[in-house]
Structure formats: C-alpha cells, structure tokens
C-alpha cells in the first residue's frame, strides 16, 4: 500500500515540477495573453447551445451572438496582431447585428421591427469595414477592378461594332 502512495506522491511532484518549469519559461503568460478571448467566445457558444438544446429562450441569442463575434474578433487580433483592429473595428457593430438577427430568426412570433434594425446595422458595419480597408488593400482591388472593367469595355465594344458593320448598318 505504501508503493501506491509513493506513486501518487511522485506523480504529484513531477506535475508540480512541470508546471513550475512551464511557468518560468513563460508558457502560461503566453497562453493568458493569447487565449483570453475564450472568456468571451465560450460563454457565447454556451448560450447558443442552451437555446438550441431547448433549455433557454431566444433572448439568449442576442448576447450569445455578440459574445461569439467579439470573441472571434479578439481571438484573431490577439493571435495575429492587434494592428488588425484598426481595420476590423466595424465587427463590433456586426456583433450586435448578428445577435439581433439571430433573435429575430428564432423568436416566435417574430418581432417585425428587429429585422430592419439588424440589417441596417449589419450593412453599416460592412460599409464601414469597406472604408476601413480602403486605405490599404481595397484601393488596389478597386484599381484592378477598374482596369479589368475598362479592358472588358474596350474589348467588348470592338466586337459589337464589328457585328453592326457586318449586319449592314
């Protein structure tokens, strides 16, 4: 019986040593700095599971949608770079729109005034997101699309003229 206690004590000492070593190497600090958005994401997912498991009313979808979107946004920023927040900040409005829209979809009877509010808020978020990207990559995308559109018009216009000439116009 003594060997069983020795095994438990030895295992406890090894685990304590590993925890201390990882703490000194900064693993726990890194995890805390990187994974703290799970404090928002997990409750948001739990609220969704409560509703879809028929344990809560549709009203939990509003904070559930907000927490889930915010948790994903902050997880992305803490994993990659907080500099992304200067472009992704419209997702804060999108989180509210998602929560309101989910409530609209699953509440019976549907609250009619909630759909326009959530759609307007979502569209405003997307427009603001586009304008926040306009300073960087979106301007290049816009330039390429304009070039492609111009080439398409030039190439298409020449073909339509040839057809008109051939038809005897």
């Amino acid at each position: 019986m003594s060997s069983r206690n020795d095994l438990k004590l030895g295992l406890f000492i090894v685990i304590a040593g590993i925890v201390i070593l990882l703490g000194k190497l900064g693993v726990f600090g890194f995890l805390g700095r990187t994974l703290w958005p799970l404090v928002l994401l997990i409750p948001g997912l739990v609220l969704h599971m409560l509703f879809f498991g028929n344990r809560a009313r549709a009203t939990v979808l509003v904070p559930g949608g907000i927490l889930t979107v915010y948790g994903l946004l902050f997880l992305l920023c803490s994993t990659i770079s907080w500099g992304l927040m200067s472009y992704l900040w419209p997702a804060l409005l999108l989180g509210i729109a998602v929560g309101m829209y989910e409530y609209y979809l699953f509440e019976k009877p549907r609250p009619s005034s909630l759909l326009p509010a959530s759609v307007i808020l979502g569209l405003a978020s997307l427009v603001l997101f586009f304008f926040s990207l306009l300073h960087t990559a979106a301007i290049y995308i816009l330039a390429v699309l304009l070039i492609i559109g111009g080439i398409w018009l030039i190439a298409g216009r020449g073909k339509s003229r040839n057809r008109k000439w051939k038809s005897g116009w």
Side-chain angles (χ1 to χ4, degrees), residues 121-146:
L121 197 56
L123 288 175
S125 172
L126 293 176
V127 167
L128 290 171
F129 179 70
F130 175 76
F131 282 120
S132 72
L133 287 179
L134 199 58
H135 295 287
T136 57
I139 198 73
Y140 294 109
I141 293 170
L142 181 62
V144 168
L145 288 175
L146 288 172

PDB file of all heavy atoms in Angstrom, residues 121-146:
ATOM      1  N   LEU A 121     -27.915  47.815 -39.313  1.00  0.00           N
ATOM      2  CA  LEU A 121     -26.688  47.793 -38.523  1.00  0.00           C
ATOM      3  C   LEU A 121     -25.619  46.913 -39.187  1.00  0.00           C
ATOM      4  O   LEU A 121     -24.446  47.266 -39.224  1.00  0.00           O
ATOM      5  CB  LEU A 121     -26.987  47.303 -37.110  1.00  0.00           C
ATOM      6  CG  LEU A 121     -25.958  47.571 -36.045  1.00  0.00           C
ATOM      7  CD1 LEU A 121     -25.641  49.045 -35.943  1.00  0.00           C
ATOM      8  CD2 LEU A 121     -26.456  47.050 -34.706  1.00  0.00           C
ATOM      9  N   GLY A 122     -26.039  45.776 -39.735  1.00  0.00           N
ATOM     10  CA  GLY A 122     -25.103  44.894 -40.429  1.00  0.00           C
ATOM     11  C   GLY A 122     -24.547  45.540 -41.690  1.00  0.00           C
ATOM     12  O   GLY A 122     -23.345  45.450 -41.967  1.00  0.00           O
ATOM     13  N   LEU A 123     -25.401  46.182 -42.461  1.00  0.00           N
ATOM     14  CA  LEU A 123     -24.934  46.861 -43.680  1.00  0.00           C
ATOM     15  C   LEU A 123     -24.014  48.036 -43.340  1.00  0.00           C
ATOM     16  O   LEU A 123     -23.013  48.259 -44.023  1.00  0.00           O
ATOM     17  CB  LEU A 123     -26.123  47.337 -44.516  1.00  0.00           C
ATOM     18  CG  LEU A 123     -26.913  46.243 -45.228  1.00  0.00           C
ATOM     19  CD1 LEU A 123     -28.131  46.831 -45.931  1.00  0.00           C
ATOM     20  CD2 LEU A 123     -26.040  45.498 -46.213  1.00  0.00           C
ATOM     21  N   ALA A 124     -24.358  48.775 -42.286  1.00  0.00           N
ATOM     22  CA  ALA A 124     -23.486  49.874 -41.856  1.00  0.00           C
ATOM     23  C   ALA A 124     -22.118  49.334 -41.466  1.00  0.00           C
ATOM     24  O   ALA A 124     -21.082  49.929 -41.789  1.00  0.00           O
ATOM     25  CB  ALA A 124     -24.123  50.623 -40.693  1.00  0.00           C
ATOM     26  N   SER A 125     -22.109  48.183 -40.799  1.00  0.00           N
ATOM     27  CA  SER A 125     -20.847  47.564 -40.418  1.00  0.00           C
ATOM     28  C   SER A 125     -20.037  47.172 -41.642  1.00  0.00           C
ATOM     29  O   SER A 125     -18.824  47.398 -41.686  1.00  0.00           O
ATOM     30  CB  SER A 125     -21.120  46.327 -39.553  1.00  0.00           C
ATOM     31  OG  SER A 125     -19.941  45.617 -39.319  1.00  0.00           O
ATOM     32  N   LEU A 126     -20.674  46.599 -42.639  1.00  0.00           N
ATOM     33  CA  LEU A 126     -19.970  46.200 -43.858  1.00  0.00           C
ATOM     34  C   LEU A 126     -19.452  47.411 -44.637  1.00  0.00           C
ATOM     35  O   LEU A 126     -18.341  47.374 -45.175  1.00  0.00           O
ATOM     36  CB  LEU A 126     -20.875  45.337 -44.736  1.00  0.00           C
ATOM     37  CG  LEU A 126     -21.230  43.968 -44.152  1.00  0.00           C
ATOM     38  CD1 LEU A 126     -22.208  43.239 -45.068  1.00  0.00           C
ATOM     39  CD2 LEU A 126     -19.992  43.137 -43.927  1.00  0.00           C
ATOM     40  N   VAL A 127     -20.232  48.480 -44.701  1.00  0.00           N
ATOM     41  CA  VAL A 127     -19.784  49.691 -45.384  1.00  0.00           C
ATOM     42  C   VAL A 127     -18.590  50.293 -44.651  1.00  0.00           C
ATOM     43  O   VAL A 127     -17.588  50.682 -45.268  1.00  0.00           O
ATOM     44  CB  VAL A 127     -20.940  50.714 -45.501  1.00  0.00           C
ATOM     45  CG1 VAL A 127     -20.434  52.086 -45.904  1.00  0.00           C
ATOM     46  CG2 VAL A 127     -21.979  50.216 -46.488  1.00  0.00           C
ATOM     47  N   LEU A 128     -18.668  50.353 -43.323  1.00  0.00           N
ATOM     48  CA  LEU A 128     -17.543  50.882 -42.544  1.00  0.00           C
ATOM     49  C   LEU A 128     -16.314  49.983 -42.680  1.00  0.00           C
ATOM     50  O   LEU A 128     -15.185  50.477 -42.720  1.00  0.00           O
ATOM     51  CB  LEU A 128     -17.945  51.031 -41.080  1.00  0.00           C
ATOM     52  CG  LEU A 128     -18.945  52.144 -40.797  1.00  0.00           C
ATOM     53  CD1 LEU A 128     -19.443  52.056 -39.365  1.00  0.00           C
ATOM     54  CD2 LEU A 128     -18.334  53.502 -41.075  1.00  0.00           C
ATOM     55  N   PHE A 129     -16.538  48.684 -42.761  1.00  0.00           N
ATOM     56  CA  PHE A 129     -15.433  47.752 -42.960  1.00  0.00           C
ATOM     57  C   PHE A 129     -14.760  48.009 -44.305  1.00  0.00           C
ATOM     58  O   PHE A 129     -13.543  48.045 -44.405  1.00  0.00           O
ATOM     59  CB  PHE A 129     -15.952  46.313 -42.874  1.00  0.00           C
ATOM     60  CG  PHE A 129     -14.898  45.269 -43.090  1.00  0.00           C
ATOM     61  CD1 PHE A 129     -13.909  45.062 -42.154  1.00  0.00           C
ATOM     62  CD2 PHE A 129     -14.906  44.471 -44.228  1.00  0.00           C
ATOM     63  CE1 PHE A 129     -12.938  44.099 -42.343  1.00  0.00           C
ATOM     64  CE2 PHE A 129     -13.951  43.515 -44.428  1.00  0.00           C
ATOM     65  CZ  PHE A 129     -12.952  43.330 -43.475  1.00  0.00           C
ATOM     66  N   PHE A 130     -15.561  48.229 -45.346  1.00  0.00           N
ATOM     67  CA  PHE A 130     -15.006  48.525 -46.665  1.00  0.00           C
ATOM     68  C   PHE A 130     -14.181  49.807 -46.627  1.00  0.00           C
ATOM     69  O   PHE A 130     -13.077  49.866 -47.157  1.00  0.00           O
ATOM     70  CB  PHE A 130     -16.126  48.637 -47.705  1.00  0.00           C
ATOM     71  CG  PHE A 130     -15.629  49.059 -49.059  1.00  0.00           C
ATOM     72  CD1 PHE A 130     -14.965  48.154 -49.864  1.00  0.00           C
ATOM     73  CD2 PHE A 130     -15.807  50.353 -49.516  1.00  0.00           C
ATOM     74  CE1 PHE A 130     -14.486  48.534 -51.117  1.00  0.00           C
ATOM     75  CE2 PHE A 130     -15.334  50.742 -50.747  1.00  0.00           C
ATOM     76  CZ  PHE A 130     -14.673  49.832 -51.559  1.00  0.00           C
ATOM     77  N   PHE A 131     -14.716  50.847 -45.977  1.00  0.00           N
ATOM     78  CA  PHE A 131     -13.984  52.113 -45.912  1.00  0.00           C
ATOM     79  C   PHE A 131     -12.729  52.009 -45.054  1.00  0.00           C
ATOM     80  O   PHE A 131     -11.748  52.695 -45.320  1.00  0.00           O
ATOM     81  CB  PHE A 131     -14.881  53.239 -45.421  1.00  0.00           C
ATOM     82  CG  PHE A 131     -15.797  53.761 -46.479  1.00  0.00           C
ATOM     83  CD1 PHE A 131     -17.163  53.714 -46.307  1.00  0.00           C
ATOM     84  CD2 PHE A 131     -15.294  54.279 -47.663  1.00  0.00           C
ATOM     85  CE1 PHE A 131     -18.008  54.185 -47.287  1.00  0.00           C
ATOM     86  CE2 PHE A 131     -16.137  54.747 -48.655  1.00  0.00           C
ATOM     87  CZ  PHE A 131     -17.502  54.705 -48.466  1.00  0.00           C
ATOM     88  N   SER A 132     -12.747  51.152 -44.045  1.00  0.00           N
ATOM     89  CA  SER A 132     -11.532  50.984 -43.248  1.00  0.00           C
ATOM     90  C   SER A 132     -10.462  50.245 -44.051  1.00  0.00           C
ATOM     91  O   SER A 132      -9.277  50.471 -43.855  1.00  0.00           O
ATOM     92  CB  SER A 132     -11.825  50.250 -41.937  1.00  0.00           C
ATOM     93  OG  SER A 132     -12.094  48.896 -42.159  1.00  0.00           O
ATOM     94  N   LEU A 133     -10.876  49.387 -44.966  1.00  0.00           N
ATOM     95  CA  LEU A 133      -9.917  48.703 -45.827  1.00  0.00           C
ATOM     96  C   LEU A 133      -9.506  49.542 -47.029  1.00  0.00           C
ATOM     97  O   LEU A 133      -8.519  49.241 -47.683  1.00  0.00           O
ATOM     98  CB  LEU A 133     -10.495  47.380 -46.330  1.00  0.00           C
ATOM     99  CG  LEU A 133     -10.591  46.261 -45.313  1.00  0.00           C
ATOM    100  CD1 LEU A 133     -11.196  45.022 -45.959  1.00  0.00           C
ATOM    101  CD2 LEU A 133      -9.237  45.934 -44.728  1.00  0.00           C
ATOM    102  N   LEU A 134     -10.257  50.592 -47.304  1.00  0.00           N
ATOM    103  CA  LEU A 134      -9.986  51.427 -48.464  1.00  0.00           C
ATOM    104  C   LEU A 134      -8.606  52.061 -48.388  1.00  0.00           C
ATOM    105  O   LEU A 134      -8.007  52.362 -49.412  1.00  0.00           O
ATOM    106  CB  LEU A 134     -11.058  52.510 -48.583  1.00  0.00           C
ATOM    107  CG  LEU A 134     -11.226  53.184 -49.932  1.00  0.00           C
ATOM    108  CD1 LEU A 134     -11.543  52.141 -50.983  1.00  0.00           C
ATOM    109  CD2 LEU A 134     -12.318  54.203 -49.875  1.00  0.00           C
ATOM    110  N   HIS A 135      -8.076  52.211 -47.198  1.00  0.00           N
ATOM    111  CA  HIS A 135      -6.762  52.818 -47.039  1.00  0.00           C
ATOM    112  C   HIS A 135      -5.650  51.881 -47.479  1.00  0.00           C
ATOM    113  O   HIS A 135      -4.546  52.334 -47.753  1.00  0.00           O
ATOM    114  CB  HIS A 135      -6.530  53.213 -45.578  1.00  0.00           C
ATOM    115  CG  HIS A 135      -7.455  54.273 -45.124  1.00  0.00           C
ATOM    116  ND1 HIS A 135      -7.342  55.569 -45.528  1.00  0.00           N
ATOM    117  CD2 HIS A 135      -8.524  54.239 -44.306  1.00  0.00           C
ATOM    118  CE1 HIS A 135      -8.294  56.289 -44.977  1.00  0.00           C
ATOM    119  NE2 HIS A 135      -9.022  55.502 -44.235  1.00  0.00           N
ATOM    120  N   THR A 136      -5.920  50.592 -47.540  1.00  0.00           N
ATOM    121  CA  THR A 136      -4.837  49.646 -47.850  1.00  0.00           C
ATOM    122  C   THR A 136      -5.186  48.802 -49.059  1.00  0.00           C
ATOM    123  O   THR A 136      -5.082  49.249 -50.188  1.00  0.00           O
ATOM    124  CB  THR A 136      -4.557  48.744 -46.641  1.00  0.00           C
ATOM    125  OG1 THR A 136      -5.768  48.082 -46.288  1.00  0.00           O
ATOM    126  CG2 THR A 136      -4.044  49.523 -45.458  1.00  0.00           C
ATOM    127  N   ALA A 137      -5.572  47.586 -48.813  1.00  0.00           N
ATOM    128  CA  ALA A 137      -5.749  46.609 -49.890  1.00  0.00           C
ATOM    129  C   ALA A 137      -6.939  46.935 -50.781  1.00  0.00           C
ATOM    130  O   ALA A 137      -6.899  46.651 -51.982  1.00  0.00           O
ATOM    131  CB  ALA A 137      -5.918  45.217 -49.311  1.00  0.00           C
ATOM    132  N   ALA A 138      -7.981  47.516 -50.243  1.00  0.00           N
ATOM    133  CA  ALA A 138      -9.185  47.746 -51.036  1.00  0.00           C
ATOM    134  C   ALA A 138      -8.925  48.709 -52.182  1.00  0.00           C
ATOM    135  O   ALA A 138      -9.519  48.584 -53.253  1.00  0.00           O
ATOM    136  CB  ALA A 138     -10.311  48.257 -50.147  1.00  0.00           C
ATOM    137  N   ILE A 139      -8.039  49.648 -52.001  1.00  0.00           N
ATOM    138  CA  ILE A 139      -7.749  50.597 -53.081  1.00  0.00           C
ATOM    139  C   ILE A 139      -7.070  49.881 -54.247  1.00  0.00           C
ATOM    140  O   ILE A 139      -7.342  50.191 -55.408  1.00  0.00           O
ATOM    141  CB  ILE A 139      -6.917  51.794 -52.558  1.00  0.00           C
ATOM    142  CG1 ILE A 139      -6.990  52.965 -53.537  1.00  0.00           C
ATOM    143  CG2 ILE A 139      -5.492  51.431 -52.295  1.00  0.00           C
ATOM    144  CD1 ILE A 139      -8.297  53.666 -53.542  1.00  0.00           C
ATOM    145  N   TYR A 140      -6.235  48.885 -53.939  1.00  0.00           N
ATOM    146  CA  TYR A 140      -5.600  48.100 -55.007  1.00  0.00           C
ATOM    147  C   TYR A 140      -6.639  47.226 -55.711  1.00  0.00           C
ATOM    148  O   TYR A 140      -6.609  47.085 -56.940  1.00  0.00           O
ATOM    149  CB  TYR A 140      -4.474  47.234 -54.447  1.00  0.00           C
ATOM    150  CG  TYR A 140      -3.326  48.046 -53.908  1.00  0.00           C
ATOM    151  CD1 TYR A 140      -3.090  48.111 -52.545  1.00  0.00           C
ATOM    152  CD2 TYR A 140      -2.482  48.750 -54.760  1.00  0.00           C
ATOM    153  CE1 TYR A 140      -2.043  48.865 -52.042  1.00  0.00           C
ATOM    154  CE2 TYR A 140      -1.435  49.512 -54.271  1.00  0.00           C
ATOM    155  CZ  TYR A 140      -1.216  49.564 -52.911  1.00  0.00           C
ATOM    156  OH  TYR A 140      -0.192  50.312 -52.422  1.00  0.00           O
ATOM    157  N   ILE A 141      -7.528  46.636 -54.938  1.00  0.00           N
ATOM    158  CA  ILE A 141      -8.591  45.815 -55.527  1.00  0.00           C
ATOM    159  C   ILE A 141      -9.479  46.666 -56.416  1.00  0.00           C
ATOM    160  O   ILE A 141      -9.838  46.268 -57.530  1.00  0.00           O
ATOM    161  CB  ILE A 141      -9.407  45.120 -54.413  1.00  0.00           C
ATOM    162  CG1 ILE A 141      -8.533  44.101 -53.692  1.00  0.00           C
ATOM    163  CG2 ILE A 141     -10.660  44.469 -54.976  1.00  0.00           C
ATOM    164  CD1 ILE A 141      -9.160  43.538 -52.439  1.00  0.00           C
ATOM    165  N   LEU A 142      -9.824  47.870 -55.936  1.00  0.00           N
ATOM    166  CA  LEU A 142     -10.639  48.776 -56.728  1.00  0.00           C
ATOM    167  C   LEU A 142      -9.926  49.155 -58.029  1.00  0.00           C
ATOM    168  O   LEU A 142     -10.537  49.171 -59.100  1.00  0.00           O
ATOM    169  CB  LEU A 142     -10.973  50.032 -55.915  1.00  0.00           C
ATOM    170  CG  LEU A 142     -11.834  51.079 -56.592  1.00  0.00           C
ATOM    171  CD1 LEU A 142     -13.204  50.509 -56.928  1.00  0.00           C
ATOM    172  CD2 LEU A 142     -11.959  52.300 -55.707  1.00  0.00           C
ATOM    173  N   ALA A 143      -8.631  49.440 -57.958  1.00  0.00           N
ATOM    174  CA  ALA A 143      -7.867  49.794 -59.158  1.00  0.00           C
ATOM    175  C   ALA A 143      -7.846  48.642 -60.157  1.00  0.00           C
ATOM    176  O   ALA A 143      -8.046  48.847 -61.361  1.00  0.00           O
ATOM    177  CB  ALA A 143      -6.438  50.186 -58.774  1.00  0.00           C
ATOM    178  N   VAL A 144      -7.620  47.421 -59.678  1.00  0.00           N
ATOM    179  CA  VAL A 144      -7.594  46.254 -60.560  1.00  0.00           C
ATOM    180  C   VAL A 144      -8.968  46.030 -61.190  1.00  0.00           C
ATOM    181  O   VAL A 144      -9.073  45.738 -62.389  1.00  0.00           O
ATOM    182  CB  VAL A 144      -7.103  45.009 -59.792  1.00  0.00           C
ATOM    183  CG1 VAL A 144      -7.336  43.740 -60.583  1.00  0.00           C
ATOM    184  CG2 VAL A 144      -5.640  45.153 -59.433  1.00  0.00           C
ATOM    185  N   LEU A 145     -10.030  46.186 -60.408  1.00  0.00           N
ATOM    186  CA  LEU A 145     -11.376  46.017 -60.954  1.00  0.00           C
ATOM    187  C   LEU A 145     -11.680  47.072 -62.015  1.00  0.00           C
ATOM    188  O   LEU A 145     -12.307  46.763 -63.043  1.00  0.00           O
ATOM    189  CB  LEU A 145     -12.413  46.074 -59.834  1.00  0.00           C
ATOM    190  CG  LEU A 145     -12.458  44.874 -58.898  1.00  0.00           C
ATOM    191  CD1 LEU A 145     -13.447  45.114 -57.763  1.00  0.00           C
ATOM    192  CD2 LEU A 145     -12.817  43.613 -59.660  1.00  0.00           C
ATOM    193  N   LEU A 146     -11.242  48.300 -61.797  1.00  0.00           N
ATOM    194  CA  LEU A 146     -11.443  49.337 -62.808  1.00  0.00           C
ATOM    195  C   LEU A 146     -10.673  49.032 -64.086  1.00  0.00           C
ATOM    196  O   LEU A 146     -11.197  49.228 -65.193  1.00  0.00           O
ATOM    197  CB  LEU A 146     -11.025  50.696 -62.242  1.00  0.00           C
ATOM    198  CG  LEU A 146     -11.961  51.306 -61.195  1.00  0.00           C
ATOM    199  CD1 LEU A 146     -11.339  52.547 -60.589  1.00  0.00           C
ATOM    200  CD2 LEU A 146     -13.320  51.607 -61.797  1.00  0.00           C
TER     201      LEU A 146
END
